[in-house]
C-alpha cells in the first residue's frame, strides 16, 4: 500500500556572502536525502544554484532558500531576495512561460541561468511581495521539480 507523505517546508536564511550559495546547495541535498527524494537532487540543485546565483549577483542584501515538499515525489525550490524587480522570463504569478527569455548570442558569458531553470523545471514563476508589514517585500522565484524528470 503506497503511503502519502505530508507536505513539509524548510527555509534557510542566507547572508550576502560568497559561501552562502554552496551552503544552501548542501542543505538542499541533505533535505532531499532525508525525505527520500535523492533522485531529484541533480535537477533541484541545478535550479537552486541558478536562482541563488542570481540573488547573490543582482542584490546587495540577504536572501533565502525555501524548499517545499509537495508529496508524490515533487519539490518546489524557491529563492527570496529583497529586490522586487522580476527578471526576464518570469511573469508575475502566471507560472510557465508568459514572458519569453531574451535570445542569447553564441558567445554570451552570462544569461543562461534562467534558460536552464525553465528547461529543468516542470513549472516556474514568481511572486512579488509588496506588503512590507507582512513580509520583507522583494520577490520569490520558484520552480517545481518532480521525480522522473531528472535529466
Amino acid at each position: 500500500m503506497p503511503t502519502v507523505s505530508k507536505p513539509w517546508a524548510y527555509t534557510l536564511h542566507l547572508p550576502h556572502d560568497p559561501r552562502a550559495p554552496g551552503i544552501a546547495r548542501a542543505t538542499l541535498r541533505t533535505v532531499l536525502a532525508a525525505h527520500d527524494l535523492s533522485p531529484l537532487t541533480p535537477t533541484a540543485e541545478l535550479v537552486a544554484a541558478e536562482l541563488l546565483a542570481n540573488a547573490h549577483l543582482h542584490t546587495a542584501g540577504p536572501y533565502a532558500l525555501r524548499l517545499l515538499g509537495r508529496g508524490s515525489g515533487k519539490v518546489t525550490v524557491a529563492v527570496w531576495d529583497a529586490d522586487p524587480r522580476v527578471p526576464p522570463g518570469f511573469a508575475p504569478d502566471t507560472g510557465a512561460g508568459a514572458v519569453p527569455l531574451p535570445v542569447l548570442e553564441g558567445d554570451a558569458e552570462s544569461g543562461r541561468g534562467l534558460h536552464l531553470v525553465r528547461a529543468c523545471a516542470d513549472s516556474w514563476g514568481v511572486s512579488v511581495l509588496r506588503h512590507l508589514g507582512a513580509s520583507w517585500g522583494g520577490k520569490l522565484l520558484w520552480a517545481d521539480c518532480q521525480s522522473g524528470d531528472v535529466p
Side-chain angles (χ1 to χ4, degrees), residues 8-11 28 31-32 37 40 44-45 47-48 51 65-71 73-79 121-127 140-146:
W8 48 263
Y10 295 87
T11 302
L28 177 142
V31 167
L32 293 180
L37 293 172
L40 289 175
E45 189 173 2
V47 166
L51 296 178
L65 172 68
R66 183 143 171 92
L67 303 171
L68 299 122
R70 304 291 186 166
K74 185 175 179 181
V75 66
T76 298
V77 176
V79 173
D122 294 299
S123 58
W124 61 88
V126 63
S127 295
L140 184 75
L141 295 176
W142 58 268
D144 289 331
C145 303
Q146 191 162 349

Side-chain angles (χ1 to χ4, degrees), residues 105-128:
E105 297 298 325
D107 58 352
E109 293 184 15
S110 64
R112 288 175 166 68
L114 295 181
H115 286 280
L116 289 171
V117 170
R118 288 174 56 159
C120 292
D122 294 299
S123 58
W124 61 88
V126 63
S127 295
V128 177

Side-chain angles (χ1 to χ4, degrees), residues 12-29 48-49 51-53 55-57 61-65 79:
L12 178 63
H13 296 275
L14 299 157
H16 196 269
D17 179 288
R19 295 168 290 238
I23 291 167
R25 290 190 312 273
T27 300
L28 177 142
R29 289 189 300 270
L51 296 178
L52 289 160
H56 186 78
L57 291 172
Y63 45 99
L65 172 68
V79 173

Side-chain angles (χ1 to χ4, degrees), residues 4 6 16 28-29 35 39 41 51 60 63 68 71-72 79 81 89 94 98 104 106 113 123 134 149:
V4 177
K6 293 182 179 180
H16 196 269
L28 177 142
R29 289 189 300 270
H35 287 279
T41 300
L51 296 178
Y63 45 99
L68 299 122
S72 302
V79 173
D81 66 59
T94 59
L104 294 173
S123 58
D149 294 339

